[in-house]
Amino acid sequence: MGVMGRRLGELGMMKGGGIINWFPGHMAAATRAIRNRLKLADMVIEVRDARIPLSSVNEDMQHVLSCKRRVIALNKKDLANSNMMNKWLQHFDSCKQDCLPISAHNKNSVKKLLDLVELKLNEAILRHPTLLVMVVGVPNVGKSALINSIHQIASANFPVQEKIKRATVGPLPGVTQDIAGFKIAHQPSIYVLDTPGILVPSIPDIDTGLKLALTGAVKDSVVGEERLAQYLLALLNTRNVPLHWKHLHNKNKDKHGSMSSRNWKLPLRNSDPGRIEDLVTEVQRALVNTYSEFSGNLENENDLETLIEEQFDALQKAFKIPHKASNEAHYMVSKRLLTLFRLGKLGHYILDDVPSTSKTAV
């Protein structure tokens, strides 16, 4: 993506947002609680967003997690670029780190993950009759969806779920506590803890923070919808995505003639697939036209800001948003553009670059 692509979060247009208070003050307490629970676990399933395999990492916890048996589950694989995903899997393989792309709502996908967990535990541990697996991950990567799918699979395989006891890690020997979990295997018995800890991500830089917000790990209101939409447009432009759409639309025109669109008046939440696809076409056309007419330099911060401002105006027409005050119109454009991106309607992306060396932390 180049130097400019890596510095998008520092663009001048972003500076009005001020200092971002990403997370509340109980972060340290939550981190301590997670570390204590991790001591009980024989293995960790670390859930990450497949679109941001590195940005969805909690840097503060990586030392602890890297010392545990771990499987990294890259969730929401259906929203990620498959070619880039293969490169990421090669990276994790070179780091000797087990990694599996999954869709947490798909039971077959989750079963593959559980099979891998069972295999790794059976290979590693033969002496302990009961093994515990803990699910961790930053907000909104799909921990709850994964746990729900595991619960359904576990209930089908083991209808009677007995309680388990496990020695706590503490100064007093022989102390036990009940731990609620789902049994997923027998001989040895393997349980997945059903109360995954919330790992609060440490934000090393604003670019990482914006990626987390763009994929929903941080509330839009914390960053600002317009700021996020600006960042998204900067990413699309610096990756020359509109140029790809232009070629795609030209091919479609050759096959089907002129591309007409229905009159799109309903709000984006309307579920009619035809209407949404027509809207996507209009949005892509607006971005293609502004990108094609752009004569500036994408590596120049001021030029890129000018292009993005023109794209906001074009998108207002594409979304059929009536003439309003600039800030209100930008807000409405931003909300709808972000929704389309998160639904995967603007394409499938991995926003993080694959590290250049396998020595980079995973």
Side-chain angles (χ1 to χ4, degrees):
M1 189 162 50
V3 176
M4 190 64 187
R6 291 193 295 273
R7 292 183 58 254
L8 291 178
E10 301 169 14
L11 284 173
M13 64 185 177
M14 307 291 186
K15 62 191 176 189
I19 298 173
I20 297 174
N21 180 21
W22 293 102
F23 299 100
H26 63 266
M27 181 175 76
T31 302
R32 284 195 299 271
I34 294 304
R35 284 191 172 127
N36 288 333
R37 292 209 63 172
L38 278 171
K39 294 175 184 177
L40 299 171
D42 299 289
M43 175 174 270
V44 173
I45 298 174
E46 184 186 359
V47 187
R48 300 185 188 178
D49 191 314
R51 297 166 294 178
I52 46 172
L54 280 185
S55 294
S56 54
V57 163
N58 185 325
E59 293 289 346
D60 293 342
M61 295 295 295
Q62 282 308 297
H63 176 70
V64 176
L65 295 177
S66 63
C67 295
K68 307 288 293 186
R69 293 178 185 85
R70 172 175 62 170
V71 171
I72 294 175
L74 294 178
N75 189 33
K76 307 182 184 181
K77 68 175 185 177
D78 53 312
L79 297 176
N81 180 285
S82 56
N83 291 331
M84 283 293 294
M85 177 61 71
N86 289 332
K87 294 179 181 179
W88 270 103
L89 293 178
Q90 291 172 10
H91 168 71
F92 284 115
D93 186 58
S94 70
C95 298
K96 302 188 184 309
Q97 170 60 58
D98 291 308
C99 177
L100 189 69
I102 68 165
S103 292
H105 293 286
N106 184 297
K107 286 186 182 178
N108 288 331
S109 182
V110 175
K111 284 178 181 177
K112 289 181 181 178
L113 174 63
L114 296 181
D115 288 344
L116 177 60
V117 167
E118 184 177 354
L119 174 65
K120 292 299 175 181
L121 282 176
N122 283 333
E123 286 179 354
I125 305 176
L126 297 175
R127 64 184 181 276
H128 207 296
T130 303
L131 305 173
L132 300 183
V133 179
M134 187 172 179
V135 180
V136 299
V138 304
N140 204 38
V141 292
K143 296 186 305 299
S144 297
L146 178 59
I147 286 292
N148 288 338
S149 291
I150 291 174
H151 187 190
Q152 292 173 17
I153 293 169
S155 298
N157 293 340
F158 300 95
V160 179
Q161 293 278 338
E162 69 253 35
K163 284 187 176 181
I164 52 176
K165 290 183 180 291
R166 188 69 184 271
T168 58
V169 178
L172 300 176
V175 177
T176 61
Q177 67 179 9
D178 288 342
I179 301 173
F182 305 127
K183 187 175 185 179
I184 62 167
H186 188 60
Q187 293 183 340
S189 296
I190 300 176
Y191 290 81
V192 175
L193 303 189
D194 72 337
T195 51
I198 301 298
L199 291 187
V200 186
S202 170
I203 309 296
D205 57 73
I206 197 165
D207 198 51
T208 298
L210 287 166
K211 290 176 185 176
L212 284 164
L214 190 56
T215 53
V218 177
K219 288 183 179 179
D220 290 352
S221 57
V222 174
V223 183
E225 285 81 358
E226 183 176 346
R227 191 183 197 192
L228 273 180
Q230 289 171 332
Y231 181 66
L232 172 57
L233 289 172
L235 283 171
L236 295 176
N237 288 320
T238 55
R239 293 185 175 202
N240 300 312
V241 173
L243 188 61
H244 167 72
W245 287 338
K246 183 178 181 180
H247 293 322
L248 188 64
H249 286 185
N250 286 339
K251 286 182 181 179
N252 288 336
K253 284 181 182 178
D254 291 340
K255 287 182 179 179
H256 307 293
S258 62
M259 298 178 64
S260 61
S261 171
R262 299 184 191 127
N263 184 20
W264 208 93
K265 292 182 178 179
L266 297 178
L268 186 56
R269 63 179 176 270
N270 182 268
S271 59
D272 181 355
R275 289 183 180 274
I276 292 179
E277 293 308 319
D278 285 346
L279 176 64
V280 171
T281 298
E282 289 300 316
V283 167
Q284 290 178 337
R285 183 181 288 126
L287 297 181
V288 165
N289 289 341
T290 49
Y291 179 91
S292 299
E293 294 167 4
F294 174 65
S295 58
N297 180 5
L298 288 174
E299 296 288 326
N300 181 285
E301 179 181 317
N302 292 329
D303 286 356
L304 182 56
E305 287 183 41
T306 299
L307 171 60
I308 289 173
E309 187 60 33
E310 291 174 356
Q311 289 177 327
F312 263 92
D313 293 337
L315 287 171
Q316 183 175 347
K317 296 175 183 176
F319 285 124
K320 293 184 168 51
I321 295 172
H323 179 72
K324 297 177 181 290
S326 176
N327 58 342
E328 186 180 355
H330 278 201
Y331 172 79
M332 295 177 69
V333 166
S334 301
K335 289 283 287 185
R336 298 187 184 193
L337 185 67
L338 292 172
T339 298
L340 287 179
F341 171 78
R342 289 164 180 164
L343 289 172
K345 297 298 182 181
L346 299 181
H348 299 163
Y349 302 94
I350 293 183
L351 305 180
D352 288 334
D353 293 324
V354 180
S356 56
T357 172
S358 61
K359 295 181 181 180
T360 304
V362 296

